């Protein structure tokens, strides 16, 4: 009997009961209805229920893996069961997951990782010497020469040294391994530093300034920590530029109800793809210095810059170039990751954080906090090492590495341009240049009748749009409401990761869908 | 000039300024004094300071990597610089880090991992077919057949299926893949579920019952979440048994000032090494059912049982064997890990959690919360798969796998007995049988004069003892005060992971140190 009860549960989809925020999907509603059929005990008999749970966790929203992605999963299962649709596959353009879209791993990185994993291979003639050299170096820094040992909580020493050397080369400004903390992806670093920063109650509760549109990790962590989210709007009319006057406005208004202490910047922008100019970064740093704000610089897309007139400038570099008064005062944490760039190694959860001007006592607190989780995955740390310490000219693997890197970045640049051009040919779609990162975030016209239809389904208008796009074309993108946008404007975020030919098909399908949608609701 | 400023910072040890809790070390004090020499800006100029930081994070303590470990690192550096000590190496018996102590990885596990990492090796004749079969199965379940893709936030489907099949075999009771969540080590699962459970304010704030002595992850997470720690004491006189009357006492007293909703059990015990009897588990489950407590069962040492009269029983199994009234009502989360057992793969940060009777809406909330961090490291998930799905009789790798597993577990059993016997021969040391896990937690006599000396150094008496042990012998163990203990009793936790001969040396050194210590302070 118990067995039967368990088996009944299998087919159901308990995840779809609507925890993802305001925009419920019909999929979620259906699944929720399905749940009620099962002889489930009533919620009041449980200790842990929606009513009794942590209200801050309940308030968390995370659109990138929200109801639209659950729906995509359901559709995939329907296709597998042979149910006919107007398409044969779901294309997951909702998340920056390069390998899942067919991008091949960088050979050198995987060779070093395999050697570290199974050191018997160090004797194999089929691995290049430079990969072996890197693997030996990493293993020598691991307890018992094994990736299976815990590392120091701050990360493996020699990898932190390699990160510091990388930053020094990149910026022409010295970096100190003591300031480097290896992390479980960039998300982990960002939430850890925010965890340290949040305090106070009522009007003195910590306010955290974030761009709108934002990457929803920020709003989620702010909610989890019960901090106050302070929105500053990026300027869509001006290629999503960051405007210091807008920062000033947001700060001034926030001071009425919280204590704004943190300013988060995403550069290159996610979901917006803009690359900040050096001048703009200087202005932001000056603003943070003036207003005593702790700066978080999310720079995970630093290798993903496509526009020929744009260049990535790190906050760290600009901070140091602005002189001693700034470089010895402004508190900055910047973040990088193995997941983006040209390597796209999301699954290893590798990343680092560099902190500048962190008080020595706080560094102690940070290491203590990190120690509770023991250490970031050591395999992810090893992957980070290869990202910051790739083959050099003259080394055996250099040529292949360069070719692979160039192939990925060259293609991304092509696809960025292609996407911008094609979207801008569609009436009712406006797309800023994709200067960097790996997403398009076009503005879409949603006719009044469609807005009404969405409201009758209790959905945000752009969720309604994206749900229909998914159901009619199999293309999964994330509604702008999941990132934040100016009232009355609508967008979606789509990755440009599918291979060129597939991306062209996707773009044409979106175009056709959009025109049909406009017609249907005009 | 900036460069000079950065370089000055290099040599210092900003981590040692005493964030680890009550027991300050002389090392920390020295480092703190050293910091003051540097031309550091005064703390009031920083935004993030000890005064302004998150007070809950400040309150966190984590002894396993606390001041004693910082001191161990300093001593290692001194040895490297050629400074003479009464010993030639530091032995890190503070943490259950098997590979760092020379334990070899399980070959099959690493072969599968290497194949997954670098699939070209699938064509290599030097890998066994069963390892290739496992690797292909895992890769087929990964996006783009790559460990570098994000997995579902709950974990790779086929790995969750393998975990469920493992539990079903282990318990003779069905398990459902829908109830399995892969995690970043067990610590991640435990803190995630606690995060969901904590709510309320003042007297209705969630209370979490934990054993004393405990593994300090629990107290750390409780502090971070601002929950209320409710201590129940294990019975040292009775092999650290869990006594339900003591649970009842602790619960009754806690109800005056909080809302106790969660009961945490560690079985086999960490740091105490006891293995709970089936009867005791039944009593605990009945108590949880009666008192409406959410059960957390930390079972990461389930493979580490050494006493011939002890056997591991999972809470899940006993819950189901107790009948429908229990199995359909009691909410349970149990945890396992790749880090312990016979594989000791700590660095991969693999683990899983099985939830029973979790409300479907809460499952949705849980997946949402996990989604914010995207997914656990996929390499750690793959490692977890091999742990639950090792070679089977008849397969090519079975014999070697069995030999390696038996070697590790057989040695641990030997070392458990050796440690108990030797400690109990020392006057002033009393050690319960090490029935399971991988630690000794002996009670030590600390003479009144030593207690006074410790107080004059502002240290807990057992921290004073362990610091001296480290300084005089190079052996690094963790004071009992880091785990909690009955007032006026003193202990330390020492791993039994060093190889047999080395462990014998360690034990004799501890003995000699202890006798000298007694003499010195008598």
């Amino acid at each position: 009997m118990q067995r039967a009860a368990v088996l009944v549960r299998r087919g159901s989809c308990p995840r779809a009961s609507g925890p993802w925020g305001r925009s419920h999907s019909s999929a979620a509603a259906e699944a929720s209805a399905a749940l009620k059929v099962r002889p489930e005990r009533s919620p009041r008999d449980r200790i842990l229920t929606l009513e009794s749970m942590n209200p801050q966790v309940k308030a968390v929203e995370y659109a990138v893996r929200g109801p639209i992605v659950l729906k995509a999963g359901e559709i995939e299962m329907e296709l597998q069961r042979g149910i006919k649709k107007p398409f044969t596959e779901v294309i997951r353009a909702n998340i920056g997951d390069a390998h899942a879209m067919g991008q091949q791993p960088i050979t050198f990185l995987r060779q070093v990782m395999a050697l570290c994993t199974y050191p018997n291979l160090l004797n194999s003639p089929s691995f290049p010497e430079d990969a072996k050299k890197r693997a030996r170096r990493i293993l020598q820094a691991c307890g018992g020469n094994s990736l299976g040992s815990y590392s120091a909580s701050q990360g493996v020493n020699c990898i932190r040294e390699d990160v510091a050397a990388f930053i020094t080369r990149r910026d022409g400004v010295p970096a100190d391994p003591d300031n480097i903390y290896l992390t479980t992806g960039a998300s982990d670093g960002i939430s850890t530093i925010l965890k340290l920063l949040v305090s106070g109650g009522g009007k003195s509760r910590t306010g955290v300034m974030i761009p709108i549109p934002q990457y929803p990790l920020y709003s989620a962590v702010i909610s989890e920590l019960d901090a106050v989210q302070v929105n500053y709007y990026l300027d869509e009319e001006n290629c999503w530029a960051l405007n210091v006057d807008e920062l000033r406005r947001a700060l001034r208004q926030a001071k009425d109800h919280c204590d704004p202490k943190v300013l988060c910047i995403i550069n290159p922008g996610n979901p917006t793809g803009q690359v900040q100019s050096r001048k703009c970064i200087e202005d932001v740093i000056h603003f943070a210095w003036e207003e005593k704000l702790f700066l978080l610089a999310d720079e995970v897309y630093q290798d993903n810059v496509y526009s020929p007139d744009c260049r990535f400038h790190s906050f760290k570099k600009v901070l140091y170039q602005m002189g001693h008064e700034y470089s010895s005062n402004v508190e900055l944490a910047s973040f990088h990751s193995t997941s983006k760039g040209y390597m796209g190694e999301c699954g290893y959860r590798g990343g680092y954080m560099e902190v500048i001007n962190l008080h020595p006592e706080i560094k102690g607190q940070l290491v203590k906090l990190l120690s509770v989780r023991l250490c970031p995955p050591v395999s992810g740390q090893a992957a980070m090492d290869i990202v910051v310490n790739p083959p050099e000219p003259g080394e055996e693997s250099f040529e292949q590495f360069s070719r692979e890197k160039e192939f990925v970045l060259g293609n991304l640049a092509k696809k960025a341009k292609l996407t911008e051009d094609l979207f801008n040919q569609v009436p009712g779609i406006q797309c800023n240049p994709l200067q960097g990162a790996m997403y398009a975030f076009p503005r879409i016209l949603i006719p009044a009748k469609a807005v009404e239809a969405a409201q009758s389904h209790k959905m945000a208008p752009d969720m309604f749009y994206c749900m229909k796009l998914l159901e009619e074309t199999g293309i999964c993108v994330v509604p702008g409401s999941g990132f934040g946008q100016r009232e009355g404007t609508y967008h979606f975020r789509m990755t440009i990761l599918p291979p060129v030919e597939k991306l062209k098909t996707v773009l044409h399908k979106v175009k056709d869908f959009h025109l049909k949608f406009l017609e249907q609701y005009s």
Side-chain angles (χ1 to χ4, degrees), chain A:
Chain A
M1 210 185 89
Q2 283 161 20
R3 175 148 203 130
V6 167
L7 291 179
V8 167
R9 208 166 268 219
R10 279 270 182 118
S12 73
C13 181
R15 282 161 300 183
S17 44
W20 300 91
R22 282 168 233 125
S23 320
H24 285 253
S25 70
S26 58
E30 276 164 34
S32 183
L35 286 174
K36 282 175 194 136
V37 179
R38 295 198 284 122
E40 193 58 54
R41 294 178 60 84
S42 105
R44 68 181 171 280
D45 294 325
R46 295 275 178 263
I47 297 156
L48 182 53
T49 64
L50 279 189
E51 289 68 42
S52 73
M53 74 177 283
N54 186 334
Q56 289 148 231
V57 172
K58 192 154 93 181
V60 164
E61 299 184 9
Y62 191 70
V64 173
R65 294 198 148 191
I68 195 115
V69 182
L70 294 178
K71 181 72 185 171
E74 287 169 36
I75 292 177
E76 273 172 346
M77 286 200 287
E78 289 172 1
L79 287 171
Q80 274 168 23
R81 289 205 306 272
I83 295 176
K84 285 270 172 285
K85 303 265 173 194
F87 48 88
T88 54
E89 64 165 338
V90 169
I91 295 170
R92 291 178 176 260
N94 58 296
I95 189 165
D97 192 359
H99 293 193
M101 282 293 175
Q103 183 181 311
Q104 293 306 301
I106 297 289
T107 303
F108 181 78
L109 187 146
R110 290 302 187 93
Q111 286 174 329
V112 177
M113 301 285 287
L115 291 160
C116 288
T117 303
Y118 191 54
N120 281 14
L121 294 170
L122 286 165
N123 303 318
S124 159
S126 51
F127 284 78
E129 275 311 310
D130 48 355
K132 290 182 183 175
K133 194 177 133 199
R134 296 285 200 298
R136 282 198 198 94
R137 181 159 187 275
I138 293 170
L139 288 176
Q140 274 161 17
C142 293
N145 299 327
S146 170
L147 287 192
S149 298
Y150 293 118
S151 75
S153 302
Q154 193 170 351
V156 173
N157 279 351
C158 83
I159 300 179
R160 292 192 292 109
E161 282 164 16
D162 287 350
V163 169
F166 159 78
I167 295 172
T168 304
R169 281 195 308 276
R170 182 194 67 188
D171 294 344
V173 157
D176 182 347
D178 259 2
N179 290 338
I180 308 298
Y181 296 74
L182 299 176
T183 58
T184 308
S187 303
D188 170 49
I190 293 165
S191 60
T192 299
I193 204 84
L194 284 173
K195 203 183 272 178
L196 281 170
L197 275 159
V198 171
S199 65
K203 283 191 172 183
S204 70
R205 191 73 181 155
T206 297
V208 180
M209 302 183 72
I210 62 171
I212 297 293
Q214 53 119 13
Y215 175 59
L217 166 73
Y218 291 93
S219 51
V221 172
I222 288 168
S223 169
E224 230 185 279
L225 293 171
D226 205 17
V228 181
Q229 178 175 324
V230 177
N231 297 338
Y232 66 89
Y233 289 84
L234 300 175
D235 184 359
E236 183 166 16
E237 315 309 317
N238 194 11
C239 282
W240 297 112
L242 196 167
N243 185 323
V244 173
D245 288 339
E246 167 59 10
L247 286 181
R248 221 175 290 280
R249 177 211 59 80
L251 182 74
R252 199 179 49 239
Q253 290 187 3
K255 280 181 173 169
D256 290 344
H257 61 278
C258 70
D259 178 14
K261 284 202 298 201
V262 190
L263 171 54
C264 301
I265 309 284
I266 313 176
N267 178 48
N270 177 5
T272 39
Q274 83 287 10
V275 176
Q276 277 183 276
S277 69
R278 201 191 168 290
K279 168 73 171 65
C280 174
I281 294 174
E282 243 189 74
D283 291 347
V284 170
I285 292 174
H286 179 76
F287 176 76
W289 172 83
E290 202 174 45
E291 299 288 354
K292 287 191 158 285
L293 296 169
F294 193 111
L295 269 174
L296 301 197
D298 179 340
E299 302 178 329
V300 301
Y301 296 100
Q302 58 189 266
D303 284 322
N304 301 98
V305 175
Y306 314 119
S307 288
D309 17 317
C310 291
R311 216 187 116 199
F312 170 74
H313 302 274
S314 79
F315 268 72
K316 159 82 181 296
K317 178 185 78 174
V318 178
L319 178 66
Y320 272 68
Q321 289 174 346
M322 285 170 74
H324 191 255
E325 180 57 24
Y326 295 91
S327 67
S328 63
N329 272 304
V330 175
E331 289 154 82
L332 166 70
S334 60
F335 307 91
H336 197 10
S337 161
T338 59
S339 304
K340 310 302 170 185
Y342 53 88
M343 48 286 175
E345 295 282 6
C346 315
Y348 283 101
R349 314 306 299 120
Y352 76 75
M353 150 168 93
E354 183 188 21
V355 296
I356 303 296
N357 291 320
L358 204 63
H359 194 290
E361 288 174 344
I362 294 297
K363 282 182 158 185
Q365 293 288 332
L366 176 54
V367 172
K368 178 191 71 177
L369 181 61
L370 295 172
S371 299
V372 176
R373 304 294 163 82
L374 298 160
C375 68
V378 181
S379 50
Q381 297 184 45
M384 194 75 240
D385 190 63
I386 311 311
V387 171
V388 297
N389 187 23
E392 285 173 28
E395 287 186 318
E396 196 177 342
S397 303
F398 180 72
E399 201 196 322
Q400 184 181 4
F401 167 78
S402 303
R403 209 168 49 236
E404 290 175 352
K405 174 178 171 177
E406 194 37 57
F407 179 79
V408 173
L409 291 179
N411 258 321
L412 280 169
K414 239 183 270 171
K415 292 189 282 187
K417 190 76 182 67
L418 182 77
T419 305
E420 177 197 341
D421 289 349
L422 211 143
F423 274 147
N424 284 327
Q425 288 166 22
V426 186
I429 298 189
Q430 262 178 286
C431 186
N432 269 322
L434 282 67
Q435 298 172 335
M438 38 182 70
Y439 314 99
F441 194 67
R443 181 160 170 181
I444 47 174
L445 175 69
I446 298 192
K449 275 193 189 164
V451 173
E452 279 164 35
Q455 279 158 355
S456 74
H457 286 79
K458 295 199 169 138
M459 277 190 206
D462 49 9
M463 172 64 89
F464 179 74
Y465 179 98
C466 293
M467 230 14 132
K468 279 203 161 295
L469 176 68
L470 173 63
E471 285 163 356
E472 294 180 20
T473 67
I475 298 166
C476 181
V477 299
V478 188
S481 48
F483 304 89
Q485 53 200 355
R486 281 204 184 269
E487 186 76 25
T489 69
Y490 305 111
H491 303 78
F492 62 78
R493 188 187 83 163
M494 188 187 93
T495 70
I496 55 166
L497 291 170
V500 177
E501 285 312 308
K502 193 171 205 170
L503 182 66
K504 280 186 190 162
T505 313
V506 166
L507 291 169
H508 281 104
K509 281 189 173 190
V510 173
K511 177 184 167 185
D512 295 345
F513 165 82
H514 186 79
L515 294 176
K516 212 181 105 196
F517 184 87
L518 287 191
E519 205 179 285
Q520 189 181 351
Y521 292 100
S522 67

